[in-house]
Amino acid sequence: MQEIVGTSNKILEVDLSTGVTSIGEITDKDRRDYMGGKGLGLKLLYDRLKPGVDPLGEENIIAFMPGVLMGTGAPCSGRFEAVTKSPLTGIMVTASCGGPFGMALKTSGWDALIIRGAAKNPSYLFIDSKGAEIRDAKGVWGKDTREAQAALEKEGASVVIGPAGEHLVRYANLCSGHRFLGRGGMGAVFGSKNLKAVVARGGEFKIVPVKKKKFDKARKTLNRYISRNSITSGSYRNFGTNANVNLSNAAWILPVRNFSGGSHGEAHKISGETIAENYNTKYHTCKPCSILCGHKGTFAGKERSVPEYETTGLMGSNLEIFDPVAISEWNEICALMGMDTISTGGSLAWAMEATEKGLFESDLKFGFAGNISQTLKDIAYGKGVGKELGMGSKWLSRKYGGENFAIHVKGLEMAAYDPRGAFGQGLSYAVANRGACHLSTSLFTLEAYFDMASPKAKRGKATMVKFFENVYAALNSLHICHFTAFAVFLEPPLVKLSPTPVLKLLTQNITPVALAVMDISLWPELWSSVTGKRLGMLGFKKVGERVHVLERYMNTREGVSKKDDTLPGRMLSEPRKCDHKERTVPLDKMIGRYYRVRGYDKNGVPKDRLLRRLGIEKK
Amino acid sequence: MMHYNKYPEIKPGLKLLKRMYVVTMLFVFGRAFQAVSRVDRGAKEVFAKMPDDFVLDFCVVPNGPHMVVGKDEKGRIKYMGWNPAGKKVTIYMKIKNMDAAFRMLTFQESSCTATSRDRLIVDGDLPTACGVLHIMDLLEVLLLPKFLAKLGVKRYPKWSQLSPVRKWTSRLLTYVRLVA
Amino acid sequence: MILPEYYEFCCRVKTVAGHRALEKISPELVRMNAKKPMIITDKGVAGAGLIKIVSSAISSSKGGKTSVGAVYDNVPPDSDLKIVQEVAKLYRSKDCDSIIAVGGGSVLDTAKGVNILVSLGGDDLMQYAGSGAVKKKLKPMIAVPTTSGTGSEMTLVAVIADHERNVKLPFVSYFLLPDVAVLDSRMTRTLPPALTTSTAIDALTHACEAYTCMAKNPVSDSTALEAIRLIAGNVLNVVKKPGDLEGRLALANGSALAGMAFSNSMVGLVHMLGHATGGACGVPHGVCMSIYLPYGLEYNLHKTSHLTAELLLPLAGPEVYAATPKAERATKAIAVIRKLNQDLHEATQGRHARFLKEVIDRDGKQMVPKDALPTIANTAMGDATQFYNPEDLDFNDCMMVLEHAWEGIPLDLKKVKKGGKGIKF
Amino acid sequence: MQSPGDYGFFYQAKIMAGTGAMANIPVELDGFDARHPFVLTDKKTSDSGLPRKFVKALGESNTIIGALFDDVPAYSSVSLVKDLAQFFRDRGCDSVVAIGSGPVVDVAKGVNMAVSTGADVLGFEGVNRVPGHLKPLVVVPTAAIKPFDLTGNARIDGRKFSSAFLMPDVIAVDPLMVRGCCTECVLDTAMVSLSHAVEAYLSPSANPLSDAYASMAIRLIAEHLQKSLKRPGNKAASMGMANAAVAAAAAFDNQPVGVVHALGMELSLLTGNAPGLCMGILLPAALEYRRQMKQEARSELLMAMEGFDAYAGTPAGQRGEKGLRSLQLLFSKIAVLPRTLEELRVPRFKADEAIQEALKANPSLKKQDLSAVMGLAMKGVQ
């Protein structure tokens, strides 16, 4: 087998309209500036995608970017990124996935796959080391994600859309294995291109790091940290992300009844602990992985994936339904249809509340589980009321009213953490590049779970948000699993040995200093040992900043500005019953500070000075 | 659910200083009405035209202060105090609010300007109301120094219209009667 | 554009105008949930056959949702309490639910009185006299003016006489305003030329005074200018060609605009003398207006020449305005008005009076003898409009103006007493 | 003068504008037999201390404020209207006062519908569905006031309510309240007012009454815009702009919706940009389109823009053209206004969507006009 030392730096570009395939190269500068994954994907799109194109039009481009660490055996590195313009939000969307397609693409010898144009007939794309071939998808079109993958299995590992993507549901996702490129409606982009799947043969190349010794050392340290951390090797490993349910419930950040409450007496019924106890759960994860947060279990006699926390929150407590079996069934349907469970849950919750208030006609009701399965299928197939539900809650609320309780930012439905219980998370939601995304900073963990920052304070939050945005952007460009952050941040001796109240005092009062001394050198070490290019901790953070600002800048070219950096009306004006102090997110007071810290102008657009400093060429 | 306590009922406050000033000015004006009706030729003419049951209530709505001026049984103009209760008022001149009254009585707005800005509501016989406003203009000319009175009236009378002799006798006598 | 320190403007009346505006009455009634209107009018209007046009327009509406419930066509020119009570009784007995007043001032005042009674109940109108005593929405009321001039369809005042006690009761409230004023060219087509001219000049006066007096405001300015343009541009044509419906409509529009303007910005000297002359000698309002208008503008010239100058544009058109040097525009505007009076005088074969001494009644008798002038001046001193006039007036000033107007000679500006500074708006 | 033909005109709001306007509100309410207003505003207005000024102005009156609700959110909603209506009844209020603009006024109108009729407001959605007179509604505009707020229209939960009965009864424009806070806010209001006024003025169904208001609005904007943009807090300029908004409302309410308004509103809803920005770009494009279509511009536009002397001094044939140029000059002087929708980052596909939505909302408009204007606005007018 041939070897790739470090990175292949080869780009495969396919135009579905013309059928022309071309091969390009990633420049050394881009590699250093943007690493790979999300960052490099954005840069490639920045060079190719004109602003203002219709996300569902021929001109939109989607890029698949396997991670740099992928194939090297680094812990939790089995992930790849996809980047495109979202039909749900109209701005850039990046998503990451732990399915087998990434490894197949990478081991076919490609560091980037770029797809543009639109096929005339339903097609799928076959990729091997020689290039790409557009094949007729007559046989797989209309199939759900599992059947489609099974049908293509002999050709390689694939990334596919389900019926939802074919019917252009705005939050349809892409599926590879049993993992998903969840958010922002990439499935609809595939659907609009008449593209059912991309299959990569894989297994043609072997990936070896440039500095083997250094790499092994870093890998071992990280593995040690992971196995030592109480979350990565404890709660997440045992209960999956559903371990968050009880934590969120206690911290009043669990979405209840379309985010009108923050905790619920029945929440324990859907917690990770309860599910692990009752449903015979087993590991069911990305490959390779050392954390093992993914699980499957036996629900009502059938083996199904255990819903992730976001699914449990948005399709469970947020709909006032506390039945794990039902939630797992809907999770299964969404998986087969290829739909993002967060956006689906958010849209359903909006519909329930709007129906209750007389704004919308449907038979959906809070707490009523009976018709949800059917509604999910209707959404996927664009039938009846499902056709409009498939447009997402922003579209719905613009048409039917109820903007106050359409829980989205920039069109992307909010994940299952209520920002009224964690103000930093609120700021993070408002300014996150892809919309109300919990993964841009995951600040709720510090604020609500670990008590390392005061959840109801405004001070220091702008700096924290900036720091974590940069770090996570870099992580996504590396690409390694987010959850390694628990281990990397919490396990080095300095943090490990300091008592939590002291840490809280430091992060809250001298935020920039506290964040600067955090030791995150493991990640850049992994990168430089694999690629052989030097990168320090500062350089790593700067790459993160560059990636984040580039995405922001690309979004401002699509019309995003201060007006879009906001939270749903409910978060800003409606206090919750569980919070007797009746707090709402003081967003106005944090956002100006955030722009200053970031180097944006008053309108939220990156200043020229910032772009120059980061070496982003203005277009 | 709405938290009613967060939005309490609000009773807008008083404007004590303004009120005190207006009360004083109305008292002075009331006395001056009475005084000028006895000493000035022009004023006598105007008052003579008014009906015998003339009682004017010049006030700020809705809570006063009031100035009640009217003719007594002998047909003489008399200041009847600040309380209109129990008096048969034939003509009301109401200033719409305290701010407007203050503005008017500090001569920031002349009575004509105030009228054209709809600050004054007249309820009753219009010719009588015109007479009252004429007297007010006259009072301003008599009681106030020229630079102030000029702000209050449209046309400060020249010698030919108001001879200095009449002006000064009337002015003196009015002041004397006002204080006495 | 002058923005005064403070102003109020209110026009709660919906204006419906056009050659077939009467047909809109029915939908308007439906909009206000009324079906069975009562028509109130006077003999003259009924005699001219106008009521027939109105009722057929109401009844012939699509769907037949509305029909006339009753017609009272006997409102005298000096209506009083008794008439109001009588009409109210008829209204109640016929179960009507709205009022349509067709005619001039007296009809409208009566209709307003009737509306108070039938809406608030009882037979005692007295308790609602005074300003602001009516505090509830009344029944739907539609005004159809038959002269284009008075603008009384836009005013919130009603004056109703009590002949027994010999007093005139004023009623002032926004709720007295009709809901809709319907201006239809058919209603003024048969108006005789002399009446056409006097009512048109009446409206012109409203507009000119609204533009130059103390309570002017940007809205009244805009409406006044538009009104002047419409009236000055059309009145002569209409007098020469009485059947000119476009012109008739323009006059009606102009008068509605002028009504809007003056009911909000009030009027000055011209009306002060006009009311007095009407009261003392019985001269029709419109005639007084056309005589006094140039004098009123002249008297105030030293304070408002810049405003009077601007009147030249709508009065005479842009060409004349541009050709006149800036300093002379004000006097030119006054001259244009005098010329208009002269032209109308000729066009009506002398029936349109230019000076006071020319005013004659039906028997050809002079209505304003020269020795009546002091009485007029005296009455004028009790008229409230003087406060809106930019310059002060006393008895002697009134006499001076009256004498000039009687003779028909332009005002001797030297005789105008000037004092104080320019007016502050 | 265009021939007005048949027309109707209605604008019932009593305008009180100038120093001490708010202090007159109790008298006006008393005229409606109301002494217990329910006051609505939003947090932003409340934070700037304006409601306190309102309460102070009401001093020495018998008016008791039933409640000062200062939490109206950025989106008006039916459920809030319901809650507030209950609140209104519980406090025994008898009139509604709205301090602010946009959702505050919309919610105020909604509450008024609910408390006056006792019915569910959703039943009144559409045109002329409100059954009759409502309780007195007073609007106290702030700098962000849009003409739309001062008309008989309301937008609650994305639904349009349109009825003459929704018009405010009293508008109190007080210099204490209308001082602008920032250039953007001034520009937003000014461009919306100007668009409404110009569209009403150039509308084929313009009538003398709507003309009077439209020309007043245009003239006030032409006179005060520059100053107001340079110094948003200037009293005279702010009053000029606020008065212009009121006048534009009267004109707008009596003329059919024009291309600029229809497209501007939809674009604003779709992209989240301030309506003023969208209309400020669309209006020059619409004027250019008129010119291309050889539609005669009314000569009086020049008078409204530049005053009497310029109007009279220009030969009759050139007035219309010069008026348009003057208007375009006004636009070119506004430094903060983007020139094209591309500059505003409006993607083509959103623009197309806006055209579709505008057509759906206003079936009387022609698609070719909308597309042409939008096309010009995308690239800008040279």
Side-chain angles (χ1 to χ4, degrees), chain A residues 99-387:
Chain A
F101 172 74
M103 191 68 86
L105 181 64
K106 177 118 184 172
T107 54
S108 295
W110 304 108
D111 266 1
L113 166 65
I114 291 172
I115 303 170
R116 61 169 85 219
K120 283 187 191 64
N121 306 308
S123 318
Y124 70 94
L125 201 59
F126 174 77
I127 288 165
D128 60 9
S129 59
K130 291 186 213 75
E133 190 185 319
I134 301 168
R135 294 181 177 173
D136 189 2
K138 225 181 263 161
V140 281
W141 195 262
K143 286 194 157 85
D144 69 31
T145 56
R146 197 166 295 157
E147 292 165 353
Q149 290 191 80
L152 298 168
E153 203 175 5
K154 52 186 183 305
E155 296 174 49
S158 53
V159 56
V160 302
I161 56 171
E166 295 169 13
H167 290 96
L168 303 183
V169 171
R170 296 301 190 269
Y171 43 82
N173 58 17
L174 297 177
C175 175
S176 177
H178 57 276
R179 312 296 302 179
F180 299 88
L181 289 149
R183 308 225 61 193
M186 291 179 169
V189 174
F190 259 44
S192 72
K193 297 189 177 310
N194 261 331
L195 186 63
K196 176 73 181 177
V198 183
V199 190
R201 179 198 273 177
E204 294 174 76
F205 293 92
K206 200 176 147 202
I207 317 291
V208 280
V210 176
K211 297 176 179 166
K212 189 88 175 67
K213 236 194 226 155
K214 198 179 162 199
F215 173 74
D216 280 339
K217 192 173 153 234
R219 185 174 60 114
K220 275 179 194 147
T221 317
L222 184 53
N223 267 332
R224 194 168 66 242
Y225 283 174
I226 288 171
S227 57
R228 205 161 70 189
N229 184 268
S230 64
I231 294 166
T232 49
S233 70
S235 54
Y236 274 18
R237 190 171 288 173
N238 297 334
F239 312 122
T241 49
N242 274 329
N244 288 359
V245 171
N246 283 339
L247 291 169
S248 292
N249 198 38
W252 302 341
I253 61 169
L254 184 75
V256 176
R257 210 183 160 88
N258 196 23
F259 285 84
S260 55
S263 74
H264 198 282
E266 294 181 60
H268 64 89
K269 290 190 192 165
I270 51 171
S271 70
E273 289 83 343
T274 314
I275 292 174
E277 199 179 308
N278 297 341
Y279 300 100
N280 186 26
T281 59
K282 296 179 213 136
Y283 298 129
H284 189 54
T285 70
C286 326
K287 288 185 183 84
C289 182
S290 331
I291 299 175
L292 311 175
C293 70
H295 293 78
K296 58 184 173 184
T298 317
F299 295 89
K302 287 180 195 136
E303 187 163 88
R304 293 177 186 148
S305 291
V306 172
E308 298 286 339
Y309 166 71
E310 312 300 335
T311 313
T312 311
L314 267 314
M315 300 188 86
S317 60
N318 203 33
L319 308 182
E320 279 201 320
I321 292 165
F322 297 92
D323 174 6
V325 180
I327 299 170
S328 76
E329 185 197 336
W330 305 330
N331 187 39
E332 186 83 356
I333 294 175
C334 285
L336 294 176
M337 297 298 126
M339 293 194 295
D340 174 23
T341 52
I342 302 181
S343 290
T344 309
S347 301
L348 285 176
W350 177 89
M352 287 176 177
E353 184 156 356
T355 305
E356 188 179 282
K357 298 208 158 125
L359 298 173
F360 185 71
E361 261 179 64
S362 75
D363 43 10
L364 293 163
K365 245 192 345 230
F366 283 115
F368 178 62
N371 54 4
I372 293 189
S373 301
Q374 188 53 47
T375 309
L376 292 177
K377 285 175 196 154
D378 286 350
I379 294 175
Y381 288 101
K383 279 192 218 146
V385 76
K387 189 165 176 65

Side-chain angles (χ1 to χ4, degrees), chain C residues 7-16 28 31 137 154 174 177-181 219 223 257 260 263-264, chain D residues 7-17 105 109 133 137-141 145-153 163-173 193 196 207 209-214 216-217 242-255:
Chain C
Y7 75 88
E8 293 185 2
F9 189 95
C10 182
C11 177
R12 294 222 159 104
V13 185
K14 174 164 185 173
T15 310
V16 175
E28 287 298 331
R31 180 179 69 92
K137 305 257 186 202
M154 298 286 182
Y174 277 117
L177 283 169
D179 295 285
V180 185
V219 192
T223 43
L257 282 158
M260 266 170 87
S263 59
N264 281 285
Chain D
Y7 72 85
F9 182 92
F10 184 45
Y11 194 67
Q12 66 152 20
K14 172 164 186 174
I15 305 164
M16 307 194 296
V105 185
K109 287 171 180 167
H133 288 291
L137 169 67
V138 180
V139 176
V140 181
I145 194 72
K146 302 286 178 309
F148 188 81
D149 302 330
L150 303 174
T151 63
N153 297 301
S163 162
F165 297 119
L166 283 179
M167 231 181 259
D169 295 287
V170 176
I171 301 170
V173 186
S193 306
H196 287 170
N207 63 58
L209 278 92
S210 67
D211 277 357
Y213 282 98
M216 166 185 164
N243 274 294
V246 178
F252 171 69
D253 212 15
N254 284 284
Q255 288 299 332

Side-chain angles (χ1 to χ4, degrees), chain B residues 7 9 13 18-19 21 29 32-35 44-46 91-92 112 126 136 141 151 164 166 173 175:
Chain B
Y7 315 104
E9 207 165 69
K18 282 184 181 169
R19 172 171 277 266
Y21 178 82
F29 261 98
F33 253 80
Q34 182 176 327
K44 276 182 197 161
E45 270 174 35
V46 176
I91 175 165
Y92 287 95
C112 289
L126 281 177
M136 299 223 358
V141 171
L151 298 174
R166 181 185 146 199
L173 288 172
Y175 264 116

Side-chain angles (χ1 to χ4, degrees), chain C residues 53-357:
Chain C
I53 309 179
V54 176
S55 17
S56 72
I58 294 169
S59 310
S60 70
S61 74
K62 273 178 226 140
K65 282 179 192 151
T66 51
S67 60
V68 178
V71 178
Y72 185 92
D73 58 2
N74 210 2
V75 178
D78 52 343
S79 177
D80 69 351
L81 278 181
K82 279 220 180 105
I83 306 281
V84 170
Q85 281 158 2
E86 197 182 316
V87 183
K89 212 164 137 194
L90 180 67
Y91 178 101
R92 285 175 183 138
S93 72
K94 296 278 182 184
D95 248 349
C96 297
D97 57 8
S98 48
I99 296 172
I100 299 175
V102 187
S106 177
V107 169
L108 216 63
D109 282 354
T110 308
K112 287 172 181 170
V114 172
N115 202 3
I116 296 176
L117 283 189
V118 298
S119 305
L120 304 177
D123 257 340
D124 180 19
L125 207 52
M126 291 291 285
Q127 55 176 312
Y128 302 110
S131 85
V134 178
K135 293 191 176 189
K136 280 206 186 85
K137 305 257 186 202
L138 304 180
K139 299 271 178 205
M141 178 166 150
I142 293 181
V144 185
T146 49
T147 58
S148 43
T150 59
S152 56
E153 68 272 12
M154 298 286 182
T155 57
L156 43 137
V157 188
V159 181
I160 295 165
D162 181 350
H163 284 146
E164 275 171 22
R165 279 179 300 158
N166 207 15
V167 285
K168 281 187 167 180
L169 299 172
F171 299 82
V172 186
S173 164
Y174 277 117
F175 298 114
L176 293 183
L177 283 169
D179 295 285
V180 185
V182 178
L183 314 174
D184 193 302
S185 52
R186 284 170 285 178
M187 301 310 277
T188 52
R189 189 172 51 182
T190 49
L191 210 61
L195 217 50
T196 307
T197 57
S198 70
T199 50
I201 300 296
D202 184 10
L204 186 71
T205 311
H206 289 155
C208 290
E209 285 218 289
Y211 198 77
T212 54
C213 284
M214 297 275 288
K216 79 195 239 81
N217 63 60
V219 192
S220 71
D221 286 355
S222 276
T223 43
L225 288 176
E226 203 81 56
I228 297 172
R229 183 159 48 180
L230 284 171
I231 298 166
N234 284 292
V235 60
L236 208 56
N237 285 342
V238 171
V239 173
K240 286 180 187 157
K241 274 192 285 171
D244 175 8
L245 283 182
E246 284 298 332
R248 289 280 184 196
L249 186 59
L251 286 188
N253 276 325
S255 98
L257 282 158
M260 266 170 87
F262 98 96
S263 59
N264 281 285
S265 69
M266 308 311 286
V267 281
L269 169 62
V270 181
H271 277 75
M272 175 186 175
L273 294 179
H275 291 157
T277 315
C281 306
V283 182
H285 185 66
V287 176
C288 304
M289 293 297 104
S290 55
I291 293 170
Y292 291 132
L293 177 56
Y295 295 97
L297 295 174
E298 269 177 336
Y299 184 82
N300 293 322
L301 209 51
H302 61 286
K303 283 198 171 170
T304 56
S305 63
H306 58 298
L307 301 175
T308 312
E310 287 175 349
L311 295 181
L312 180 61
L313 181 64
L315 276 170
E319 285 71 27
V320 177
Y321 183 86
T324 315
K326 208 167 180 185
E328 292 166 24
R329 279 176 190 156
T331 42
K332 177 81 181 171
I334 296 167
V336 168
I337 293 173
R338 286 221 162 89
K339 170 85 171 27
L340 183 64
N341 265 336
Q342 180 64 36
D343 289 347
L344 290 173
H345 182 73
E346 284 159 18
T348 55
Q349 289 86 40
R351 264 169 298 181
H352 178 81
R354 294 164 298 173
F355 326 123
L356 273 185
K357 66 178 177 187

Side-chain angles (χ1 to χ4, degrees), chain A residues 317-477:
Chain A
S317 60
N318 203 33
L319 308 182
E320 279 201 320
I321 292 165
F322 297 92
D323 174 6
V325 180
I327 299 170
S328 76
E329 185 197 336
W330 305 330
N331 187 39
E332 186 83 356
I333 294 175
C334 285
L336 294 176
M337 297 298 126
M339 293 194 295
D340 174 23
T341 52
I342 302 181
S343 290
T344 309
S347 301
L348 285 176
W350 177 89
M352 287 176 177
E353 184 156 356
T355 305
E356 188 179 282
K357 298 208 158 125
L359 298 173
F360 185 71
E361 261 179 64
S362 75
D363 43 10
L364 293 163
K365 245 192 345 230
F366 283 115
F368 178 62
N371 54 4
I372 293 189
S373 301
Q374 188 53 47
T375 309
L376 292 177
K377 285 175 196 154
D378 286 350
I379 294 175
Y381 288 101
K383 279 192 218 146
V385 76
K387 189 165 176 65
E388 293 198 326
L389 288 178
M391 300 298 284
S393 53
K394 182 179 181 182
W395 187 94
L396 283 163
S397 65
R398 215 178 48 226
K399 173 152 186 197
Y400 291 102
E403 281 106 331
N404 262 322
F405 57 85
I407 310 297
H408 69 85
V409 175
K410 303 185 177 88
L412 190 74
E413 282 75 9
M414 185 175 279
Y417 310 92
D418 191 321
R420 280 166 295 186
F423 292 171
Q425 184 58 39
L427 174 62
S428 167
Y429 273 144
V431 299
N433 276 332
R434 64 178 185 178
C437 158
H438 57 299
L439 295 171
S440 79
T441 64
S442 303
L443 214 54
F444 60 91
T445 51
L446 281 196
E447 295 183 291
Y449 293 175
F450 304 148
D451 200 24
M452 282 166 66
S454 337
K456 312 289 166 53
K458 300 185 282 280
R459 198 148 47 111
K461 292 296 159 67
T463 314
M464 285 183 219
V465 168
K466 177 191 170 186
F467 173 82
F468 285 104
E469 277 176 347
N470 291 351
V471 169
Y472 283 127
L475 278 191
N476 285 336
S477 306

